């Protein structure tokens, strides 16, 4: 697991109050109990942690953020394209 | 308990993204004109992701106030005063003694003097200035709009600001209605004001991730959220007896007020809480669900509000829900937070008076989760005997007013 993945899962774990080691890449955020306000806070934490901008509108939930793995790969892409 | 008195509306005033009077605002609402456009008021607007809002355009304070008074008047108070003056002028009431003592000033606002807050904080934090302007506190204090209206118009009865976020004005008008009905006051100047298009406020709303990037499309498919608005609206309320004795033009009668709290989530809307406020207003008005023809919805344009409000209307109105005309004027004037309920009462009073339901514009087509008649895109002439104006706030605070045609 990459450092980015590890950090992303830690942030998700904090929001859903599930222990970090128990979270799998295939877990669906909804099934982990992530509610809409948690999602907005998770996005904020991810942006702050990695200094990135994530386009996200709570009215139009991004289906590509269905699972933990989806979030990890989206953040890895945004981090890779971050201006250095 | 003394007998309840009938309460009527004899004056309306407004400052809105569609005009600086109630008359011009209503004409544009009927015509389906959108007041949503580029943000021009916020400092550093280039740094904002959100590019559009429903701003009051070309508002020149010097047209309304002497320059020396402006050091105590935030934009939010200016709007409230201009709207109050218009409403009082239309009513024809002169608030001299002892009438002044029996007149309440109840004003809703969500955020208070944000322009002053923003400017002051920029001065001290960004520009490293050592001092702010001496009258910063009376200018920004959240009660200022009520105080300034009371001072400007010489109203000496009960006066205060009501804050319940997006329901502030509806709570304010409801309280004023109860005061006049119950005999605490004989007249009321009441409504709401908001002037929240500042860098700080818009940035905080961006963080909520609930704003649409383009425009407000309440109840429509592909709606993307709310659009911030600003402005003020004020109503003059008095007893039916007083209005008739004066030979005043009665615009409509306020007949009921319902309130509830969700006691649930801080932001998520709640069907049960909404329904209880609507039922409360109907019961207070002694109206049956079938007596209502028009509803000015809260209709913010967010996915959650519009679907939940639709469900609440189904719950309360049953089979009659599909016969209702339900529209959101926020599609044209945005969401003016603490002023929203007052601007929407202007629309509701005029809808009842003229028999015209204003439209929900920017409507692209039905969303399966929103299956009522939202008066899409064009106003509709129709008989309206009674109507409701809904306001449902963040924090789970709900308020609904019932209005009846006066004939």
């Amino acid at each position: 697991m990459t450092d980015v993945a590890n950090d992303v899962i830690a942030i998700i774990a904090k929001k859903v109050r599930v222990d970090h080691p128990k979270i799998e890449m295939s877990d669906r955020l909804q099934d982990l109990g992530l509610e809409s306000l948690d999602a907005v806070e998770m996005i904020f934490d991810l942006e702050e942690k990695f200094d990135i901008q994530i386009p996200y509108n709570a009215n139009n939930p991004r289906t590509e953020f269905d699972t933990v793995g989806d979030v990890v790969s989206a953040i890895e892409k945004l981090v890779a394209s971050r201006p250095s | 308990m003394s007998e309840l008195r009938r309460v009527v509306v004899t004056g309306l005033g407004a400052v809105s993204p569609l005009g600086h009077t109630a008359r011009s605002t209503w004409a544009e609402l009927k015509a389906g004109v959108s007041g949503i456009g580029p943000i021009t008021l916020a400092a550093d607007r280039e740094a904002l992701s959100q590019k559009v809002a429903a701003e009051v355009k070309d508002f020149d304070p010097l047209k309304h106030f002497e320059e020396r008074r402006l050091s105590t008047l935030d934009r939010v108070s200016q709007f409230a005063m201009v709207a109050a003056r218009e409403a009082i002028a239309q009513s024809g009431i002169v608030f001299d003694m002892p009438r002044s003592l029996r007149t309440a000033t109840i004003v809703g606002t969500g955020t208070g003097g944000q322009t002053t807050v923003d400017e002051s904080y920029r001065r001290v934090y960004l520009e490293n200035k050592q001092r702010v302007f001496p009258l910063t506190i009376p200018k920004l204090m959240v009660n200022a709009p009520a105080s300034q209206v009371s001072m400007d118009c010489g109203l000496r009865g009960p006066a205060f600001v009501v804050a319940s976020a997006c329901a502030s004005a509806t709570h304010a008008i409801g309280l004023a209605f109860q005061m006049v009905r119950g005999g605490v006051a004989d007249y009321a100047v009441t409504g709401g004001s908001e002037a929240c298009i500042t860098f700080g406020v818009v940035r905080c709303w961006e963080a909520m991730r609930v704003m649409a990037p383009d425009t407000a499309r309440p109840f429509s498919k592909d709606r993307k959220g709310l659009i911030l608005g600003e402005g003020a609206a004020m109503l003059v309320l008095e007893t039916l007896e007083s209005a008739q004795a004066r030979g005043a033009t009665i615009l409509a009668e306020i007949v009921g007020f319902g309130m509830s709290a969700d006691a649930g989530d801080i932001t998520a809307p709640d069907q049960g809480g909404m329904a209880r406020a609507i039922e409360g207003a109907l019961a207070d008005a002694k109206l049956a669900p079938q007596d209502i023809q028009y509803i000015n919805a809260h209709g913010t344009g967010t996915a959650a509000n519009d679907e939940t409000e639709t469900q609440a209307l189904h719950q309360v109105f049953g089979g009659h829900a599909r016969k209702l005309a339900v529209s959101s004027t926020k599609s044209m004037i945005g969401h003016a937070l603490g002023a929203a309920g007052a601007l929407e009462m202007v629309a509701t009073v005029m809808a009842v008076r003229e028999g015209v339901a204003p439209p929900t514009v920017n409507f692209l087509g039905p969303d399966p989760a929103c299956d009522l008649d939202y008066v899409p895109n064009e106003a509709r002439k129709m008989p309206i005997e009674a109507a409701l104006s809904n306001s449902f706030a963040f924090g789970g605070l709900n308020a609904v007013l019932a209005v009846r045609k006066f004939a």
Side-chain angles (χ1 to χ4, degrees), chain A residues 35-37 39-41 43-45 47 52-61, chain B residues 49 207-213 223-226 265-268 301-304:
Chain A
E35 293 173 5
S36 68
L37 277 191
V40 169
E41 290 192 306
I43 298 282
F44 172 83
D45 288 349
E47 288 184 333
I52 52 175
Q53 295 265 6
I54 306 170
Y56 178 86
N57 180 335
N59 295 291
N60 189 17
Chain B
S49 315
M208 289 290 301
R209 311 266 183 170
V210 292
M211 288 190 294
R223 64 186 180 280
K224 293 194 169 68
L226 61 83
D265 193 272
I266 189 69
T267 60
T302 64

Side-chain angles (χ1 to χ4, degrees), chain A residues 55-79:
Chain A
Y56 178 86
N57 180 335
N59 295 291
N60 189 17
R62 290 167 56 124
T63 45
E64 64 265 41
F65 280 4
D66 188 33
T67 67
V68 173
D70 294 340
V71 179
V72 168
S73 59
I75 301 305
E76 282 175 340
K77 269 186 214 140
L78 285 166
V79 169

Side-chain angles (χ1 to χ4, degrees), chain B residues 1-287:
Chain B
M1 191 172 151
S2 61
E3 200 183 328
L4 294 180
R5 309 184 298 179
R6 290 175 69 180
V7 180
V8 296
V9 180
T10 53
L12 294 176
V15 176
S16 83
L18 296 175
H20 299 173
T21 63
R23 181 185 297 267
S24 56
T25 298
W26 172 241
E28 299 285 77
L29 285 173
K30 276 193 294 185
V33 175
S34 171
I36 296 167
I39 292 178
T40 68
L41 295 168
D44 277 347
R45 53 193 165 275
E46 302 76 20
L48 292 170
S49 315
Q50 181 69 21
K51 299 298 181 193
V52 296
E55 294 184 348
V56 171
K57 282 118 192 132
D58 305 320
F59 183 82
D60 178 5
L62 292 172
K63 273 193 188 160
H64 305 280
F65 308 102
E66 285 176 50
E67 191 167 8
R68 65 185 184 85
R69 276 184 87 180
L70 293 177
S71 62
T72 56
L73 296 180
D74 185 272
R75 187 172 169 90
V76 72
S77 294
Q78 295 171 22
F79 287 166
M81 292 159 77
V82 172
R85 288 174 181 177
E86 183 193 0
I88 291 170
Q90 184 183 17
S91 77
I93 301 173
V94 178
F95 287 105
D96 51 8
M97 295 296 255
R99 186 177 272 150
S100 154
L101 304 173
R102 297 286 302 158
T103 304
T105 311
I106 317 294
V107 183
T109 184
T111 67
Q114 283 297 326
T115 307
T116 307
V117 171
D118 210 64
E119 283 170 0
S120 304
Y121 287 1
R122 292 182 73 80
R123 247 180 106 81
V124 292
Y125 294 138
L126 198 66
E127 297 163 15
N128 292 315
K129 293 266 171 55
Q130 290 301 308
R131 56 189 70 82
V132 297
F133 295 109
L135 299 175
T136 299
I137 290 293
K139 199 173 173 187
L140 66 75
M141 60 192 190
V142 80
N143 59 308
S147 300
Q148 294 292 355
V149 167
S150 122
M151 289 158 59
D152 191 53
C153 305
L155 313 178
R156 294 180 172 80
F160 49 86
V161 149
V162 175
S164 55
C166 317
S168 302
T170 306
H171 274 113
I173 298 165
L175 285 181
F177 158 67
Q178 290 180 336
M179 284 185 183
V180 175
R181 182 171 67 170
V184 174
D186 293 331
Y187 307 86
V189 176
T190 181
S193 188
E194 202 75 81
C196 57
I197 317 287
T198 65
F199 181 84
V201 172
V202 176
R203 173 96 322 155
C204 293
W205 277 96
E206 283 178 354
M208 289 290 301
R209 311 266 183 170
V210 292
M211 288 190 294
D214 51 354
T215 193
R217 306 184 189 283
F219 302 108
S220 168
K221 71 173 182 183
D222 298 333
R223 64 186 180 280
K224 293 194 169 68
L226 61 83
I227 293 288
L228 280 184
E230 63 165 357
M234 301 292 281
L235 292 74
V236 172
L237 310 186
E238 63 185 302
T239 62
L240 173 62
E241 192 181 7
S242 150
Q244 286 180 326
R246 300 193 300 117
T249 302
I250 294 170
L251 303 173
E253 181 175 3
I254 300 183
V255 286
F257 179 43
M259 295 180 272
S260 71
D262 298 342
D265 193 272
I266 189 69
T267 60
D270 177 66
Q271 180 188 336
M274 289 176 173
R276 284 186 291 113
I278 298 168
E279 286 164 351
L282 290 172
D284 191 37
K286 299 187 173 63
L287 290 170

